[in-house]
Amino acid sequence: MTKDSTGPAGTTNVGDYELSDDIAQQLKRNEAGLVPAIVQSERGEVLMLAWMDDHALAYTLATRRGTYYSRSRQEYWIKGLTSCNTQEVVGARLDCDGDTILLTVRQRGGACHTGDRTCFDARTLLGEEDHG
């Protein structure tokens, strides 16, 4: 995890942010040091799932900007930095096992990289209309 995204002024690296020991000790990371983050709107709508490491979570908590770690690009990304589809984080919770983060955000624009409101708009496998 070597690449960093810079902050708005271009001077702050996500990788410079550290979690408090109290929070870090509660996290159960996968073998890559990552924790899944479920992102929901203030209304409870599930918008996306992304991955966070300690630095991304620390940056998110400090700045209230949704910040994640891209496994495919192996770099940090701050939601909206290039797309203007921003996430203002208004809440953060850790599940009972410490292995999943739930972020509540004020979403501006689409949450999905496709531009859709959510990453779960396009492919319905089973819907309420299928309930018999």
Side-chain angles (χ1 to χ4, degrees):
M1 297 183 202
T2 57
K3 295 182 180 180
D4 285 342
S5 296
T6 56
T11 58
T12 304
N13 287 328
V14 173
D16 291 341
Y17 283 72
E18 299 290 338
L19 280 177
S20 70
D21 287 340
D22 178 54
I23 294 173
Q25 290 175 8
Q26 295 180 61
L27 290 179
K28 291 183 185 165
R29 301 155 194 83
N30 69 9
E31 61 282 347
L34 302 172
V35 177
I38 299 167
V39 183
Q40 70 177 11
S41 72
E42 292 176 292
R43 296 186 312 254
E45 174 185 31
V46 176
L47 300 174
M48 58 183 266
L49 175 117
W51 294 88
M52 301 178 104
D53 69 358
D54 288 14
H55 300 294
L57 179 56
Y59 189 87
T60 297
L61 296 175
T63 65
R64 294 186 173 260
R65 298 174 69 192
T67 305
Y68 310 100
Y69 185 78
S70 170
R71 297 176 301 162
S72 60
R73 294 187 314 267
Q74 296 189 354
E75 64 185 5
Y76 296 106
W77 53 282
I78 301 167
K79 189 70 175 158
L81 199 60
T82 57
S83 69
C84 298
N85 295 331
T86 61
Q87 292 178 342
E88 177 188 351
V89 177
V90 296
R93 295 174 183 250
L94 191 58
D95 79 337
C96 58
D97 295 322
D99 62 2
T100 305
I101 298 164
L102 176 64
L103 296 179
T104 304
V105 302
R106 192 167 290 129
Q107 181 70 42
R108 291 184 182 85
C112 187
H113 71 280
T114 64
D116 287 342
R117 168 83 181 149
T118 87
C119 292
F120 300 98
D121 281 348
R123 299 178 184 179
T124 300
L125 302 179
L126 181 65
E128 290 182 20
E129 65 278 1
D130 298 320
H131 182 66

